[in-house]
Amino acid sequence: MPCSARSSARARPGRRKALWPGPPSASYLVAKYNNERDDRVRLASYARDLNADVNSLNRVTAAGQVAYNCYSAKFRAALEDYKAKRITRAELDQRYAEIKSGLAEASAILGSTLSEADKREAEYRQVLTVEAKKASRPIPPVQTVATTSKKTSKTTKTVTRKQTGDQLQNLSNGVGSYKESTAQLTAVKSDLDEIQLQMDKVMLAQ
């Protein structure tokens, strides 16, 4: 199924497993770099992992959008062929069954990814809480890209503390980016579900 989110992922060799893996436990994420004594190195490592997770989530969203666009085009083409009497009603029904199956598969993949994304966000929030406690700092508020630009970071006279504080906020901003990516994925899944309902109505009217 060239339109499906699954096959879009397979187009990148070796990437499917990374696109929707089962998330590690919160204790695993906290313990992963626990032996690293340098705060800057440890925070940078968490930020790197978070950025990779955001990118993976965005790839799933992009694959879902590809599925939406492709199956929508296939449905329009099938209707045009039927109305032009190039295919029979039975052939139209067969093509629609394939389209509907592909949409359902794509929606299921996105739904599974969203379930894991909620768990992953909670895990990174725990990491943020633990790291803020280690730095003897308040937990930085999780901000989205839109709200981050409206605020300026506070300066501090202690260089090491400033660096740690900046990295904590960067990690918090990364959680905000992850939250935004999850919202975008949710929107694409909603589109996939909605277009299936609309297609059903059109088919009934034929």
Side-chain angles (χ1 to χ4, degrees):
M1 292 176 293
C3 286
S4 72
R6 185 184 297 275
S7 57
S8 295
R10 285 176 178 169
R12 300 177 176 86
R15 290 304 303 174
R16 186 185 181 282
K17 185 177 180 181
L19 285 177
W20 29 80
S25 65
S27 58
Y28 171 79
L29 283 175
V30 171
K32 186 175 181 180
Y33 301 110
N34 195 48
N35 292 331
E36 176 56 62
R37 294 177 178 273
D38 190 318
D39 292 345
R40 292 171 297 180
V41 173
R42 189 175 62 253
L43 286 168
S45 298
Y46 281 127
R48 183 174 59 251
D49 284 0
L50 178 53
N51 184 62
D53 282 338
V54 169
N55 289 337
S56 293
L57 199 60
N58 290 341
R59 282 193 293 271
V60 179
T61 301
Q65 188 63 57
V66 167
Y68 176 89
N69 293 338
C70 186
Y71 283 122
S72 295
K74 284 183 175 292
F75 183 68
R76 289 192 299 270
L79 278 180
E80 290 174 2
D81 286 344
Y82 175 66
K83 292 178 179 179
K85 301 187 183 303
R86 289 188 290 267
I87 62 174
T88 65
R89 176 63 196 230
E91 290 171 322
L92 173 64
D93 289 342
Q94 181 180 2
R95 286 168 66 174
Y96 179 55
E98 295 173 353
I99 291 169
K100 189 170 183 177
S101 175
L103 284 170
E105 180 188 25
S107 179
I109 290 173
L110 267 62
S112 176
T113 304
L114 282 170
S115 295
E116 301 301 339
D118 289 339
K119 298 174 185 177
R120 186 67 60 89
E121 181 183 337
E123 290 154 8
Y124 276 113
R125 285 179 181 273
Q126 181 176 343
V127 168
L128 188 61
T129 299
V130 170
E131 289 299 326
K133 184 177 181 180
K134 286 182 178 179
S136 301
R137 287 182 171 275
I139 302 172
V142 173
Q143 301 173 340
T144 62
V145 173
T147 57
T148 299
S149 62
K150 297 178 181 179
K151 297 185 178 182
T152 57
S153 59
K154 295 182 179 179
T155 59
T156 176
K157 295 180 180 179
T158 307
V159 175
T160 302
R161 299 275 287 186
K162 178 178 182 295
Q163 291 174 337
T164 301
D166 286 344
Q167 286 182 295
L168 279 174
Q169 185 60 66
N170 287 339
L171 186 61
S172 179
N173 291 344
V175 175
S177 296
Y178 192 85
K179 190 177 184 67
E180 286 187 338
S181 293
T182 301
Q184 292 171 3
L185 180 57
T186 300
V188 172
K189 185 183 183 305
S190 295
D191 289 343
L192 287 170
D193 294 339
E194 177 63 25
I195 197 66
Q196 289 184 65
L197 295 176
Q198 295 300 323
M199 288 179 180
D200 283 342
K201 292 179 180 178
V202 172
M203 290 295 291
L204 288 174
Q206 299 307 308

